């Protein structure tokens, strides 16, 4: 099994690897997901989210589509 690419969190000037997939929970809650293309075995999701914390809240800053 190939390790999956992680989401990224920009925090205090550092780029950190996240251990969760916040968008997957969102897609589950709405019952569908965008048709991202998945070309790499290290990223079955087809995207990498880049996140920031602003005023103690998590925000999606960028969504990079893979493949």
């Amino acid at each position: 099994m190939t390790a999956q690419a992680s989401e990224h969190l920009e925090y205090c000037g550092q780029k950190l690897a996240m251990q969760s997939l916040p968008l997957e929970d969102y897609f589950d809650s709405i019952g569908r997901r965008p048709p991202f293309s998945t070309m790499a075995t290290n990223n079955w999701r087809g995207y990498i989210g880049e996140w920031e914390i602003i005023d103690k809240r998590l925000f999606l800053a960028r969504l990079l589509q893979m493949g």
Side-chain angles (χ1 to χ4, degrees), residues 21-34:
L21 303 169
L23 280 178
E24 292 301 310
D25 291 337
Y26 172 72
F27 297 148
D28 287 345
S29 75
I30 63 171
R32 61 184 172 85
R33 57 180 292 121

Side-chain angles (χ1 to χ4, degrees), residues 1-7 19 21 40-45 48:
M1 181 174 193
T2 303
Q4 296 295 296
S6 63
E7 304 277 279
Q19 300 298 312
L21 303 169
T41 59
N42 72 335
N43 190 324
W44 57 265
R45 300 182 312 281
I48 292 179

Side-chain angles (χ1 to χ4, degrees), residues 8-39:
H8 302 133
L9 172 64
E10 182 82 23
Y11 184 69
C12 295
Q14 294 184 342
K15 190 174 191 177
L16 307 169
M18 294 176 64
Q19 300 298 312
S20 64
L21 303 169
L23 280 178
E24 292 301 310
D25 291 337
Y26 172 72
F27 297 148
D28 287 345
S29 75
I30 63 171
R32 61 184 172 85
R33 57 180 292 121
F36 296 110
S37 60
T38 54
M39 300 298 288

Side-chain angles (χ1 to χ4, degrees), residues 41-59:
T41 59
N42 72 335
N43 190 324
W44 57 265
R45 300 182 312 281
Y47 69 86
I48 292 179
E50 294 189 350
W51 301 84
E52 296 176 357
I53 295 176
I54 301 171
D55 294 328
K56 299 180 183 180
R57 297 181 70 184
L58 184 65
F59 287 91

